[in-house]
Amino acid sequence: MNDAPKLGLVLGSGLGVLADEIQQRVTIKYEEIPGFPVSTVEGHAGQLVVGELSGMKVLAMQGRFHFYEGYRLDEVTFPIRVMKELGIDSVIVTNAAGSVNPSFEPGDLMLITDHINNAGVNPLIGTNDSKYGVRFPDLSNAYSEELQLLAKDAAKKIQVDLKEGVYVWNSGPSYETPAEIRMMHKLGGDAVGMSTVPEVIVARHASMDVVGISCITNMAAGILNQPLSHEEVIETTEKARETFLLFVKELVQLIAEN
Ligand code: HPA
């Protein structure tokens, strides 16, 4: 059990390639794991990859489950509880996100400092499983201060201008309206996306430490005078991929050393 992974990675749209860099890997397809939902969206492979990354034993989700795909939130967050059961105590969550903050640019990486749950649902609704955590979990420090510092160090090391901000979760699958984006900006949001928050809530419920990284793939609706498309999101993720990979590998290295 000494060799069991302590760090989990949740890889967002177009960012699953990171799992390809895991050495001495064992892969397990989601459909082979009892209780796991199966991923459906294009660009989301569906497997767990266990192995070594930057000298650390990790377990990566190559592809995640989204609420907009029709999964229940207990299904969306099931893998986080599997991680917990396996002894994982820290998670790096990643996603592709639109920028609500006009000063960010597509291709930027944003350290998530906090989130706004704008979806009106919560994965912990229902009977509380006290094996994992309390009925009313505190989200005052949803994103670990310590891991945020390591993320900033990692960015410095590889000379990336890491942005910081608040991630807003919308259910999707429609992108937002310009009026919604103006509202989110007024409410303190910096980036918007359709994932991550359910996993973070369930991870924090189970006292796991979380660090979140958004890959800014587009300016959110209404900021530029142009339509949004999934193609643009995928295209920008591909362009930002090298930096993203370098950055997360550096972050894992720093986590391993600390
Ligand atoms: N809105 C919501 N989700 C997203 C966006 C966006 O603009 N870009 C990538 N994921």
Side-chain angles (χ1 to χ4, degrees), residues 179-191:
E180 286 166 347
I181 295 300
R182 284 194 299 275
M183 175 190 80
M184 287 169 209
H185 191 223
K186 283 198 174 129
L187 294 181
D190 294 290

Side-chain angles (χ1 to χ4, degrees), residues 13-241:
S13 303
L15 303 173
V17 281
L18 180 62
D20 298 337
E21 310 239 342
I22 294 173
Q23 309 293 306
Q24 290 153 348
R25 40 197 283 130
V26 175
T27 60
I28 310 164
K29 296 227 175 312
Y30 290 161
E31 61 254 36
E32 292 167 12
I33 308 172
F36 250 65
V38 177
S39 184
T40 58
V41 175
E42 234 181 287
H44 300 274
Q47 56 182 12
L48 289 185
V49 183
V50 186
E52 231 179 82
L53 187 71
S54 310
M56 192 170 188
K57 194 80 183 279
V58 300
L59 179 152
M61 279 183 78
Q62 197 170 31
R64 64 143 64 84
F65 306 103
H66 298 89
F67 190 47
Y68 64 73
E69 292 176 272
Y71 298 113
R72 299 186 314 266
L73 287 178
D74 61 307
E75 296 177 303
V76 170
T77 56
F78 183 77
I80 301 294
R81 289 202 163 155
V82 170
M83 288 183 188
K84 178 71 185 179
E85 295 285 349
L86 291 172
I88 287 173
D89 50 24
S90 307
V91 202
I92 301 179
V93 291
T94 66
N95 58 52
S99 185
V100 174
N101 185 325
S103 76
F104 296 169
E105 287 174 13
D108 279 346
L109 296 182
M110 186 192 89
L111 175 65
I112 304 177
T113 56
D114 205 347
H115 74 227
I116 293 173
N117 179 354
N118 195 47
V121 285
N122 190 299
L124 299 176
I125 288 176
T127 311
N128 182 50
D129 191 341
S130 57
K131 180 171 87 170
Y132 294 104
V134 296
R135 171 74 288 188
F136 302 108
D138 177 25
L139 293 181
S140 300
N141 294 295
Y143 300 84
S144 156
E145 292 287 344
E146 203 176 311
L147 293 177
Q148 285 189 58
L149 288 177
L150 292 183
K152 289 184 216 178
D153 286 347
K156 255 189 227 139
K157 265 206 163 152
I158 64 159
Q159 298 182 316
V160 162
D161 178 21
L162 182 66
K163 311 292 185 194
E164 292 176 33
V166 172
Y167 177 87
V168 185
W169 175 41
N170 276 339
S171 71
S174 53
Y175 288 116
E176 301 70 28
T177 63
E180 286 166 347
I181 295 300
R182 284 194 299 275
M183 175 190 80
M184 287 169 209
H185 191 223
K186 283 198 174 129
L187 294 181
D190 294 290
V192 60
M194 305 175 193
S195 68
T196 304
V197 166
E199 290 110 315
V200 171
I201 292 173
V202 167
R204 289 304 296 146
H205 177 244
S207 304
M208 297 160 90
D209 292 323
V210 175
V211 60
I213 307 296
S214 289
C215 177
I216 301 295
T217 54
N218 58 284
M219 299 313 285
I223 294 185
L224 303 174
N225 203 7
Q226 62 185 45
L228 271 57
S229 72
H230 184 58
E231 288 66 38
E232 181 193 7
V233 169
I234 294 295
E235 226 172 80
T236 315
T237 323
E238 272 163 21
K239 283 188 204 145
R241 193 172 272 173

